Each structure stands twice: as C-alpha cells, then as structure tokens.
Amino acid sequence: MTRGVGPVANDEPAMDVSPTAIRPRKRLGTKGVLNPQYPTSYWQIAFSRDLEPESVIPLRVLERDVVLWRDSQGVAHCTAAHCAHLGANLGYGGEVVGDTIRCPFHAWRYDAEGNVAHVPGVAGTPKVRQCLPTYLVIERYGAIFLWNGPGVPDHELPDFLADEGIAEADIVFEHVRYKLPFAAKWFVENLPDAAHFAGLHRLGSWGDTEIISESDTRLEYVARFYGRAPYVSWEDLKRSYRRGEMWGVSDAAGGDFHATTYGGGLHLIHLTASPPELIESRAKVTAPVPRAMIALTEKVNDMSDGARLILSFTPVDVDSHIVYLTMIVPKINNPVLRLIGRPVVRSLLVRRNWFAIMQDNSLMMFRQEPEHPAYNRFDRGLVRFRKFWDSRLIDRSLWAGDNVHSAGARAGCTWPDDPTTAAVSGGSTEGEA
C-alpha cells in the first residue's frame, strides 16, 4: 500500500496558457475510456503549472499509466503511456518534437490523435496501424481535467465563474493537493455524509443531507448541521486545536454547505458564513489575543466564508488517490498586502485543510464496512450519492461492489441488466434507525 501522505502547495504562479484551449480530434484508435471501473466524468489530473511548454510528464490516473504533453501552441494532450512498438513509457525520456511526442526507445513519434507520425529511416508517413489511445483533456482554473468516457462527453466541464457571474479579474485560484493512502471512493463519499461532518469534525451535534436536485449527470445537495456548541473558554479553543478543528473544516464551514457533484469525479463546494453566535463566542474568547493575530485569523475566515472549492478525488491506484483542491477566493487589491499576505494566507489554507484531512486519514485506512450496512435515515445523502456514482459506471460487472469501485448491493443499486439482481437486491437500504 502506498503511504506517501503529504500536502503540496502551489507557490509558483500558474502558466499563462489558454484556459479553455482544446484541439479538435479525430480520436482514432480509442474510445476515450481510461478505466471503465470509474464513473464517466471529468477528473482533475494535474495543475497547469506542472506542464511546462513542450514538455512531457508521466502520470498514474485511475489505475492506468498516461502521459501529459504540451505542444508549441500551449495546448495540453494526454495519451496512453506505453509506446505501441515495444512498450517504452513515454513519460520517462520522451520529448516533444515538432508538435509530436517522441518515444525515447526507438524514436517513433506520435501526433495529437495518437497516430504514428514518424519512424526513423522511413520516408513520409509510416504505414503503421498501431496507434496510442488518446484522452480528452481540458484546461481551466489553472488545472487540467481528463474526460473518462466514450466519445463526446455527456456534459460540459462546468464554467463556475460564468454560471455565477464572477469576473476572473476579481478572484484568484489557490491550488493545493494531497496524496492519501486509501481508495478515492471512500473519501469522496464523505461529502454528502453530513452526519460524518458532525461526528468527526464537530460541525454540530448532528447533521443531515438534503438532496436539492438530481439528473443523469449531476447531483446537488445541502449538508445541514444542528446544535453547534459555542466557544466558552480557552479550554474549548485548546481542545479544538488538538483535534485540528481550529484550522480545519469546522472553523471554515461553521454553517451549512452547498455542493454539486458533476459526473462523479468533479465537485463544487460553496461554503456559507459561520453562524453569528459562533463568531460572537469566538470573539469573546480570543479578545486577549494580540490584535495582529486576530486580524490575520479574521482575514483567513473572510476568505473562507462564502468561498467556492473545486474538488476532485482522483484515484492513483486501488489504495491511493490525490485530492486536488482549487479555492476561488477574492483578490487582495492592495499591492503591499497582496505581497505580504497572500503567501501567509495560502500557507494557512493548506494547513487548515490538512488538519481536516488528517482527522479522516486513519479512520479511512482501517475501516471495514460490512456487506450489509445498517443504514439509517441520516444516511440518505450517502446512499443517494452511491447510487449516482454507480449509475455513471461503464463496467456493470462491478454490480456486487467491493466499495472501492462500486457500492453495488451496499446501496441497494438495481441494474436490470444484471442477472443476479433479483437474488441479492432484497431488503431496505434506507431504513429508520
């Protein structure tokens, strides 16, 4: 099991490339499905800054090896990693030559459609039938997203700024990623599980999730929290600090949060402001703290309250994944404050999210979910999300579910084309506690 756990902050600026550039393709030799055991969806696979002009990088995505490369026009491309000739990995020693990717082994070159464009010693276009599978990628928000699905996507990569009337000149993107040593599906299922946020992250005494809308391609919901205890003493603050709550999700999302899942692999989270009573109780307890520290803390809270988070929990292998987080925050207009404050704010944002993730880490690694979970009414959001995830899978042989790729019978999924449905799908999945 991979155990490389750690936060990585994007301290350097994003590359100046067209955020929506995408080159039309014939898409020869591939159906565009990287791994049918994961939902048909957009998945983030890198930040724009990872891919320099005319460079090649290897990636492990959805349990498959791929390479990203950027041509001379700044357009990103993604292909299967291994050369169709003798299987060399193009990500290790491969080069971009004349807007093609060159294999380091025998110098075969492939174009953006995956066709063999050049073989040394062969004049003209080589008559080679082999080609590399290629995958649709789109660049936006300083990030690179891959489409895992056949043919034309059944939904567009959401343009969150345009949808909400936000001018890009008024905001900045803060990028963070964390590699975690457990299955991606286990972690992403936490988003619609409000009871988990209340129990583990102390957002309230209890929580519930309300499904707002649902379609074939998106699931929209609100996580609500009740009975949040105020800060009444320094002991409360010290206890929160030890648990990571002060710099974790509970302090940033003191109120409810609104979320939309697109396809299963991409999520938009809208944090709401902390409840007034929580802000007031915190202010009373922190009154003796130096004014500069209070001002800095409030600045971070101001940037978090009402902020939008773009999340993708992208599998690496069965037992590991990378959480890509892009926070859309207001721009600091004062140049002096921007120069001094932005690195500090970025560092605090990295750490506060890391605290929250660490609360989940050991729990996720050592959990053993029973074959028939004892669901109760507060699991409605979780069950609905599991059914949505499974509805986006191409590989229906996963119906029984190992809870790494599919919830299957655990969520009461009924796929009419599965011959075992009648035998194993009986019983309620959303019974009252």
Side-chain angles (χ1 to χ4, degrees):
M1 176 179 287
T2 304
R3 299 194 182 271
V5 185
V8 182
N10 288 15
D11 294 326
E12 57 266 44
M15 293 173 52
D16 183 17
V17 296
S18 174
T20 58
I22 180 168
R23 178 170 294 178
R25 335 182 152 185
K26 299 176 184 177
R27 304 196 59 73
L28 302 178
T30 179
K31 294 181 180 179
V33 179
L34 182 58
N35 188 340
Q37 294 184 332
Y38 288 98
T40 301
S41 180
Y42 287 102
W43 300 84
Q44 185 172 342
I45 60 173
F47 290 120
S48 295
R49 70 176 184 90
D50 297 329
L51 192 61
E52 298 291 336
E54 298 186 270
S55 68
V56 183
I57 59 172
L59 293 174
R60 181 76 172 169
V61 178
L62 305 185
E63 303 177 39
R64 302 289 186 264
D65 292 317
V66 299
V67 292
L68 267 181
W69 57 283
R70 196 184 292 282
D71 64 27
S72 62
Q73 303 301 310
V75 180
H77 306 277
C78 184
T79 71
H82 298 101
C83 180
H85 178 208
L86 292 181
N89 191 311
L90 304 177
Y92 298 92
E95 300 176 287
V96 176
V97 178
D99 286 344
T100 64
I101 183 170
R102 178 185 182 274
C103 177
F105 200 0
H106 297 92
W108 283 32
R109 286 159 51 184
Y110 298 88
D111 63 21
E113 285 73 42
N115 301 308
V116 178
H118 175 73
V119 173
V122 176
T125 302
K127 295 181 179 180
V128 178
R129 292 186 177 181
Q130 288 86 350
C131 61
L132 288 180
T134 61
Y135 306 99
L136 175 67
V137 289
I138 295 179
E139 201 161 1
R140 191 177 292 168
Y141 315 118
I144 300 174
F145 302 88
L146 175 144
W147 170 254
N148 177 52
V152 177
D154 62 359
H155 64 281
E156 295 183 355
L157 179 68
D159 190 340
F160 305 122
L161 299 184
D163 291 344
E164 300 191 35
I166 300 173
E168 190 163 344
D170 296 333
I171 54 93
V172 292
F173 300 117
E174 298 291 357
H175 296 137
V176 184
R177 66 183 138 205
Y178 312 89
K179 186 175 182 181
L180 303 174
F182 52 86
K185 182 173 174 291
W186 296 357
F187 206 21
V188 71
E189 287 180 344
N190 284 347
L191 289 179
D193 186 1
H196 134 267
F197 282 102
L200 180 62
H201 301 299
R202 304 294 178 89
L203 266 68
S205 298
W206 58 284
D208 200 3
T209 301
E210 177 187 358
I211 303 299
I212 303 300
S213 66
E214 183 177 5
S215 71
D216 291 341
T217 61
R218 66 195 293 271
L219 181 68
E220 183 181 6
Y221 51 92
V222 173
R224 304 190 189 282
F225 307 102
Y226 306 88
R228 176 65 188 265
Y231 296 112
V232 297
S233 68
W234 275 104
E235 288 302 318
D236 291 333
L237 290 179
K238 287 190 290 185
R239 188 180 304 110
S240 293
Y241 179 81
R242 286 194 298 269
R243 287 181 52 82
E245 293 172 2
M246 285 189 67
W247 302 108
V249 66
S250 59
D251 199 46
D256 305 337
F257 69 82
H258 181 279
T260 305
T261 293
Y262 298 85
L266 190 61
H267 317 271
L268 175 66
I269 312 297
H270 185 185
L271 303 179
T272 59
S274 299
E277 61 273 15
L278 180 61
I279 296 174
E280 182 179 353
S281 68
R282 181 170 55 202
K284 290 179 179 178
V285 175
T286 58
V289 176
R291 187 170 299 175
M293 180 61 71
I294 295 176
L296 181 59
T297 302
E298 290 304 319
K299 183 63 179 177
V300 176
N301 288 331
D302 288 344
M303 296 183 73
S304 296
D305 288 342
R308 282 92 169 153
L309 303 179
I310 302 171
L311 287 167
S312 192
F313 301 75
T314 305
V316 176
D317 283 301
V318 169
D319 61 356
S320 63
H321 72 284
I322 296 176
V323 179
Y324 289 97
L325 185 154
T326 297
M327 176 172 275
I328 304 172
V329 295
K331 181 178 291 184
I332 303 175
N333 293 321
N334 185 298
V336 176
L337 291 179
R338 182 166 62 247
L339 179 64
I340 299 173
R342 187 174 176 185
V344 175
V345 170
R346 181 189 295 116
S347 178
L348 292 174
L349 290 174
V350 169
R351 281 156 179 76
R352 74 189 308 170
N353 284 288
W354 181 242
F355 268 119
I357 286 175
M358 282 298 94
Q359 290 176 341
D360 288 273
N361 188 62
S362 59
L363 190 153
M364 292 292 106
M365 289 179 63
F366 298 107
R367 65 185 284 193
Q368 293 186 8
E369 183 174 309
E371 185 175 354
H372 299 290
Y375 291 119
N376 64 63
R377 65 188 180 92
F378 298 111
D379 295 319
R380 288 173 295 190
L382 168 63
V383 171
R384 180 55 60 190
F385 184 89
R386 287 182 164 186
K387 290 182 177 180
F388 176 74
W389 174 286
D390 276 12
S391 74
R392 303 290 299 171
L393 296 176
I394 298 173
D395 187 349
R396 291 299 182 91
S397 68
L398 300 171
W399 185 89
D402 57 8
N403 207 31
V404 170
H405 300 106
S406 164
R410 285 181 167 84
C413 296
T414 54
W415 289 348
D417 55 339
D418 191 291
T420 63
T421 296
V424 299
S425 65
S428 172
T429 62
E430 298 186 28
E432 297 292 324

